[in-house]
């Protein structure tokens, strides 16, 4: 244009030359205005930049891209009306750029700002130019992230990777579940940033999901101390129950494999069939005889002492018999209450402590069971079952007692090789996970007893002797045809090799053919309720089970505590969290049942029903009952994070250390609803 104007002017055509020079001046001004606007936009001088882009548009040059930039300035200035106006203008001028190599880039930008993300993504995936590659990749990453295409988003950021993108890459890898890569990038991002609030918190959360709770606690502590005013802003936490907890296939895997609770189910099955102990009748008669003899020789004081002791012993023995009758008829709470009453006036009675401990073990209160089993053994070292069951319950409450194990093993080594002591040695082998040695028990030909058959099922199953396990479970069902647990054990052994859907069908068809009394479900040991509810999930029969339990609850005159517990558990796994929450609170407040399992499931139901303060209270009680139960500590730590009580959370996570624990029950996520709805309080989206 300059050359043409000069030629015209030199050859005497001044009028045409002046018109051309005027156009050159206008064009130059428009270019200058546009470039100045770009500089001001980069410097954050949005008002000045907007004015220059307006002039550039008015001069009819760079209209499309000037309108895009004017829209961006309006966005920064919070001028929504202007933003929409200029984006629409850019869209209107876009056809003028069809011949430009940057057409796809302009198309992507306009659709990105208009919220047409799929259209923008299509243009980014089919670029007409390699210009602005990094910027195009970042926009592509944002859109892919929005649609959950995290792998594509990662690929966009890593080609090529920029140091400034390590934080985004860490978050993206966390979303794909690739926690080692997430830790790598987040650790690097935390070093890069002078105030790494978000980076350190994100890294802490990745550590929590990886089982490195001690490392997470350290990061949360440091961040909270250094940035107390900012630490709760970026990531509001939302705690929830894992969906897999209620998935029938996952429930079946847990029911059949039970990797996390295998020892608990093993021991609880042993407690279910374990024998109660009867009083020593010979000793009672002996005291009576001595009393009579002393009267004969006129030793009145001595006779009185013997006869009084005989009367007390007879009264205790009679009470024990009545309690055992109740326990064997699955009125376990009533038996437990009677034995507690007897113990108050006979605190040093070994058999009383044993029987009371067995009721507690069957009810799932392992802490109290341990105390009474141990007391019983200390009162009578010949009562090996008390000592062995103390070992089992100490295992269940994560309170190992190696000294007790050593003493019992030493004492049993000196006992004869009779039926009774073979049983005790086998049980000790089970506590030490030595099933190869325990397997010798399968070769016995003793009298058929439920306890022995249950031992056969458990040991044979552990050793993979499926035929022996199935045979023993069939004999057990024949002895106790109307009790639920033996049938559930038979299902486990008979159909153990079937695939999930076939197993569920086989189980439900089998159970429909049986005639159960259900007393062990309503009033008996806790393991029956646990396995029955899980079986209800596996077979899709929770709803009819709930109706059955509701009917029984309304019609029975017996103790309803355990029916309420079974109903609460069934409602929980049926995802009726509000109903479960109410029932568990009733168990704790009205029935005063405060064992670890009740408190824990009550807390889980509270989380499902979003009664978080109640969940914290129950978990604090559960933690006192069993301080080493990691599920309770993990949930409590997460709830404290959610309540913005980082110091409280840190206490729990520090206790868990870096053992790699992964919760079966609980998970957490960033509460994006809070980020969106409360931008003044939290980091805005």
């Amino acid at each position: 244009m300059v050359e043409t104007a000069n030629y015209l002017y030199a050859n005497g055509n001044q009028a045409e030359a002046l018109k051309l020079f005027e156009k050159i001046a206008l064009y130059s001004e428009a270019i200058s205005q546009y470039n100045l606007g770009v500089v001001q936009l980069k410097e954050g001088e949005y008002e000045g930049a907007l004015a220059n882009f307006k002039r550039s548009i008015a001069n009819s040059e760079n209209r499309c891209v000037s309108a895009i930039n004017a829209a961006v300035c309006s966005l920064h200035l919070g001028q929504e009306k202007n933003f929409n106006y200029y984006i629409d203008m850019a869209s209107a001028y876009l056809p003028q750029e069809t011949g430009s190599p940057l057409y796809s880039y302009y198309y992507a930008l306009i659709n990105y700002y208009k919220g047409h993300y799929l259209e923008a993504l299509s243009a980014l995936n089919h670029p007409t130019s390699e210009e602005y590659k990094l910027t195009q990749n970042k926009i592509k990453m944002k859109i892919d992230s929005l649609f959950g295409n995290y792998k594509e988003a990662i690929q966009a950021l890593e080609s090529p990777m920029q140091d400034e993108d390590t934080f985004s890459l860490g978050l993206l890898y966390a979303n794909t579940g690739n926690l080692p890569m997430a830790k790598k990038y987040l650790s690097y991002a935390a070093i890069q940033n002078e105030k790494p609030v978000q980076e350190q918190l994100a890294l802490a959360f990745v550590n929590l999901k990886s089982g490195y709770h001690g490392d997470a606690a350290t990061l949360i502590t440091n961040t909270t101390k250094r940035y107390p005013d900012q630490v709760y802003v970026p990531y509001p936490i939302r705690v929830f129950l894992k969906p897999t907890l209620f998935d029938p296939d996952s429930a079946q895997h847990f029911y059949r494999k039970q990797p996390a609770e295998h020892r608990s189910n093993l021991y609880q099955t042993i407690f279910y069939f374990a024998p109660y102990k009867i009083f020593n009748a010979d000793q009672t008669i002996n005291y009576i005889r001595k009393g009579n003899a002393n009267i004969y020789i006129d030793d009145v004081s001595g006779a009185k002492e013997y006869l009084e002791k005989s009367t007390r012993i007879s009264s205790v023995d009679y009470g024990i018999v009545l309690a055992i009758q109740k326990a064997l008829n699955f009125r376990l709470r009533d038996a437990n209450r009677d034995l507690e009453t007897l113990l108050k006036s006979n605190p040093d009675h070994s058999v009383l402590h044993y029987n009371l401990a067995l009721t507690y073990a069957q009810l799932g209160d392992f802490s109290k069971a341990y105390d009474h089993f141990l007391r019983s053994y200390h009162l009578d070292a010949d009562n090996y079952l008390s000592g062995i069951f103390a070992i089992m319950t100490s295992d269940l409450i994560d309170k190992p007692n190696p000294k007790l194990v050593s003493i019992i093993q030493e004492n049993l080594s000196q006992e004869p090789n009779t039926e009774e002591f073979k049983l005790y040695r086998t049980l000790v082998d089970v506590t030490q996970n030595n099933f190869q040695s325990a397997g010798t028990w399968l070769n016995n030909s003793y009298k058929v007893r439920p306890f022995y058959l249950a031992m056969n099922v458990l040991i044979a199953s552990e050793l993979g002797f499926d035929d022996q396990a199935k045979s023993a479970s069939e004999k057990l069902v024949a002895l106790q045809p109307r009790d639920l647990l033996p049938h559930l054990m038979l299902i486990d052994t008979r159909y153990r090799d079937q695939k999930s859907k076939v197993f569920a069908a086989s189980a439900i068809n089998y159970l429909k053919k049986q005639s159960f009394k259900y007393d062990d479900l309503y009033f008996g040991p806790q393991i029956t309720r646990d396995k029955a509810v899980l079986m209800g999930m596996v077979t899709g029969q929770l709803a009819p089970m709930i109706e059955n339990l509701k009917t029984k609850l309304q019609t029975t005159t017996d103790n309803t505590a355990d029916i309420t517990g079974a109903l609460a558990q069934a409602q929980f796994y049926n995802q009726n969290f509000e109903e479960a929450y109410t029932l568990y609170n009733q168990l704790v407040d009205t029935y005063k049942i405060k064992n670890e399992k009740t408190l824990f499931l009550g807390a889980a139901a509270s989380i499902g029903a979003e009664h978080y303060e109640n969940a914290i209270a129950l978990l604090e009680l559960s933690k006192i009952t069993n301080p080493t139960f990691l599920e309770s500590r993990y949930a409590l730590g997460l709830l404290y994070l959610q309540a913005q009580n980082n110091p409280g959370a840190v206490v729990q996570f520090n206790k868990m250390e870096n053992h790699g624990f992964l919760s079966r029950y609980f998970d957490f996520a960033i509460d994006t609803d809070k980020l969106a709805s409360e931008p003044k309080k939290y980091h805005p989206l």
Side-chain angles (χ1 to χ4, degrees):
M1 288 174 68
V2 171
E3 287 177 359
T4 302
N6 286 334
Y7 177 81
L8 290 170
Y9 189 82
N11 287 279
N13 196 346
Q14 287 91 350
E16 291 300 320
L18 287 173
K19 287 180 182 179
L20 204 52
F21 278 127
E22 187 179 348
K23 286 185 179 181
I24 292 169
L26 288 172
Y27 184 79
S28 177
E29 183 183 359
I31 292 293
S32 298
Q33 287 165 346
Y34 174 80
N35 286 337
L36 179 58
V38 170
V39 171
Q40 289 172 321
L41 178 57
K42 289 181 178 180
E43 293 295 320
E45 299 174 13
Y46 303 119
E47 290 185 0
L50 180 58
N52 277 305
F53 290 131
K54 284 181 181 178
R55 294 188 191 101
S56 182
I57 294 168
N59 289 331
S60 303
E61 298 294 342
N62 303 303
R63 279 178 167 176
C64 180
V65 70
S66 293
I68 292 172
N69 285 338
V72 173
C73 291
S74 301
L75 184 64
H76 283 291
L77 292 168
Q79 299 172 359
E80 184 177 354
K81 189 175 179 181
N82 270 349
F83 169 77
N84 291 326
Y85 171 76
Y86 285 115
I87 279 295
D88 288 341
M89 180 185 290
S91 183
Y93 287 130
L94 182 61
Q96 298 178 4
E97 303 292 339
T98 52
S100 169
L102 291 173
Y103 177 80
S104 68
Y105 182 44
Y106 296 153
Y107 181 92
L109 285 174
I110 291 167
N111 281 286
Y112 176 72
Y113 282 118
K114 287 174 77 72
H116 302 160
Y117 299 119
L118 288 175
E119 290 84 347
L121 188 60
S122 177
L124 293 166
N125 285 331
H126 304 90
T128 56
S129 171
E130 290 298 310
E131 294 293 327
Y132 303 105
K133 185 66 176 175
L134 291 175
T135 304
Q136 292 194 61
N137 281 346
K138 287 189 179 181
I139 298 173
K140 186 176 183 302
M141 177 272 293
K142 289 174 182 287
I143 299 172
D144 277 323
S145 298
L146 177 66
F147 291 114
N149 303 326
Y150 299 119
K151 290 182 179 178
E152 290 82 355
I154 289 169
Q155 186 178 1
L157 274 193
E158 287 187 332
S159 54
M161 195 199 84
Q162 305 292 301
D163 285 347
E164 64 194 51
D165 295 328
T166 52
F167 180 50
S168 295
L169 279 167
L171 297 180
L172 288 168
Y173 272 115
N175 275 284
T176 65
N178 190 337
L179 300 182
M181 289 297 288
K183 288 177 71 172
K184 170 188 170 182
Y185 281 117
L186 290 173
S187 298
Y188 189 56
I191 295 170
Q192 284 182 309
N193 198 333
E194 291 183 3
K195 293 183 178 180
V197 181
Q198 295 182 71
E199 291 84 352
Q200 289 190 165
L201 288 174
L203 183 56
F205 297 153
V206 168
N207 279 326
L208 287 178
K209 288 181 179 283
S210 305
Y212 292 90
H213 304 93
D215 290 348
T218 301
L219 284 164
I220 294 169
T221 299
N222 293 341
T223 310
T224 305
K225 285 181 178 179
R226 290 183 63 189
Y227 312 106
D229 298 330
Q230 302 172 50
V231 71
Y232 298 114
V233 174
Y235 300 123
I237 292 299
R238 177 175 60 86
V239 183
F240 56 91
L241 297 168
K242 281 189 172 180
T244 52
L245 200 59
F246 310 102
D247 174 67
D249 289 336
S250 298
Q252 185 176 148
H253 177 80
F254 179 78
Y255 178 87
R256 296 172 72 179
K257 306 299 180 183
Q258 299 170 334
E261 297 187 17
H262 177 69
R263 298 294 283 176
S264 176
N265 280 277
L266 182 72
Y267 290 156
Q268 286 189 76
T269 304
I270 289 172
F271 295 145
Y272 181 101
F273 294 101
Y276 284 90
K277 286 187 175 291
I278 302 295
F279 56 89
N280 189 335
D282 291 339
Q283 187 185 58
T284 305
I285 293 167
N286 245 1
Y287 279 124
I288 293 171
R289 285 174 179 164
K290 286 182 180 178
N292 287 336
N294 281 2
I295 290 172
Y296 183 77
I297 59 172
D298 297 327
D299 184 358
V300 177
S301 61
K304 185 178 179 182
E305 181 184 342
Y306 276 120
L307 290 173
E308 284 179 352
K309 196 167 188 177
S310 172
T311 303
R312 285 199 306 274
I313 289 172
S314 297
S315 174
V316 172
D317 291 342
Y318 179 66
I320 290 174
V321 170
L322 293 181
I324 290 174
Q325 285 177 342
K326 291 178 181 178
L328 295 178
N329 286 314
F330 297 120
R331 294 311 188 267
L332 207 51
R333 294 268 171 206
D334 296 338
N336 176 269
R337 180 198 59 215
D338 292 351
L339 291 167
E340 279 278 19
T341 302
L342 286 170
L343 194 65
K344 289 177 183 177
S345 53
N346 301 273
D348 296 329
H349 198 298
S350 174
V351 172
L352 253 181
H353 278 286
Y354 169 83
N355 288 331
L356 179 60
L358 189 52
T359 62
Y360 274 125
Q362 291 178 348
L363 289 168
D365 195 335
F366 305 123
S367 293
K368 288 183 178 178
Y370 171 70
D371 291 340
H372 288 290
F373 278 135
L374 193 61
R375 178 68 176 154
S376 173
Y377 182 68
H378 286 159
L379 288 167
D380 180 5
D382 290 331
N383 189 348
Y384 282 108
L385 270 184
S386 288
I388 294 166
F389 289 168
I391 295 171
M392 290 183 180
T393 47
S394 72
D395 196 2
L396 291 174
I397 62 175
D398 290 320
K399 192 176 180 179
N401 193 335
K403 184 176 180 182
L404 178 63
V405 175
S406 177
I407 290 171
I408 290 176
Q409 285 178 326
E410 174 64 26
N411 290 348
L412 280 175
S413 69
Q414 300 175 32
E415 299 289 359
N417 202 27
T418 61
E419 175 182 339
E420 177 186 4
F421 295 111
K422 282 183 179 178
L423 170 66
Y424 298 154
R425 292 187 188 102
T426 301
L427 287 169
V428 171
D429 285 337
V430 170
T431 68
Q432 303 308 297
N433 207 31
N434 186 1
F435 285 94
Q436 289 299 325
S437 177
T440 59
W441 174 261
L442 300 174
N443 301 323
N444 72 61
S445 56
Y446 303 133
K447 181 180 178 181
V448 175
R449 305 173 188 272
F451 188 40
Y452 289 1
L453 289 172
M455 293 268 294
N456 288 352
V457 174
L458 296 173
I459 294 169
S461 296
E462 287 288 339
L463 294 174
F465 299 158
D466 296 348
D467 290 340
Q468 283 183 267
K470 185 164 62 174
S471 173
S473 63
E474 288 169 349
K475 292 176 183 176
L476 192 56
V477 163
L479 287 179
Q480 298 178 229
R482 301 197 65 191
D483 298 339
L484 191 54
L485 184 63
H487 288 276
L488 295 177
M489 293 172 69
L490 176 57
I491 289 172
D492 294 346
T493 58
R494 182 178 288 180
Y495 308 124
R496 66 182 302 164
D497 293 329
Q498 292 183 348
K499 293 184 178 179
S500 57
K501 294 192 185 311
V502 180
F503 177 87
S506 298
I508 194 169
N509 289 333
Y510 174 87
L511 291 170
K512 281 180 177 178
K513 297 175 185 176
Q514 309 308 318
S515 176
F516 297 115
K517 193 176 179 182
Y518 288 117
D519 275 8
D520 53 340
L521 173 66
Y522 299 144
F523 311 107
Q526 181 63 41
I527 188 173
T528 305
R529 289 181 284 282
D530 292 343
K531 289 181 75 70
V533 170
L534 278 176
M535 180 59 78
M537 278 192 71
V538 168
T539 57
Q541 296 297 300
L542 277 181
M545 176 184 283
I546 287 170
E547 292 307 312
N548 177 18
L549 290 166
K550 284 182 177 178
T551 301
K552 186 64 178 179
L553 192 61
Q554 294 167 358
T555 57
T556 187
T557 57
D558 288 305
N559 190 322
T560 57
D562 291 311
I563 305 174
T564 303
L567 181 57
Q569 202 168 347
Q571 294 280 29
F572 173 75
Y573 282 106
N574 206 38
Q575 299 186 66
N576 301 327
F577 299 126
E578 195 66 40
E579 292 88 341
Y581 157 79
T582 301
L583 290 166
Y584 275 118
N585 276 351
Q586 186 180 345
L587 285 170
V588 174
D589 298 334
T590 304
Y591 292 103
K592 308 300 179 186
I593 297 174
K594 297 181 180 179
N595 61 58
E596 176 191 328
K597 190 177 187 72
T598 300
L599 294 169
F600 175 75
L601 285 178
S606 299
I607 290 173
E610 299 184 1
H611 298 297
Y612 299 113
E613 290 184 1
N614 193 74
I616 289 173
L618 291 174
L619 287 168
E620 285 286 5
L621 289 172
S622 177
K623 187 189 68 178
I624 293 170
T625 306
N626 184 357
T628 60
F629 186 48
L630 296 183
E631 286 282 8
S632 290
R633 286 203 178 274
Y634 185 64
L636 197 53
L638 295 183
L639 288 170
Y640 279 135
L641 284 181
Q642 179 175 282
Q644 298 191 346
N645 180 359
N646 284 1
V650 164
V651 170
Q652 307 309 320
F653 297 142
N654 268 328
K655 294 283 186 182
M656 298 177 70
E657 301 180 344
N658 293 329
H659 292 319
F661 166 79
L662 300 176
S663 174
R664 174 176 174 254
Y665 288 85
F666 307 106
D667 204 350
F668 69 97
I670 308 305
D671 194 336
T672 51
D673 288 340
K674 284 186 176 179
L675 290 176
S677 61
E678 303 178 54
K680 291 184 179 179
K681 183 175 181 180
Y682 298 107
H683 201 49
L685 287 173

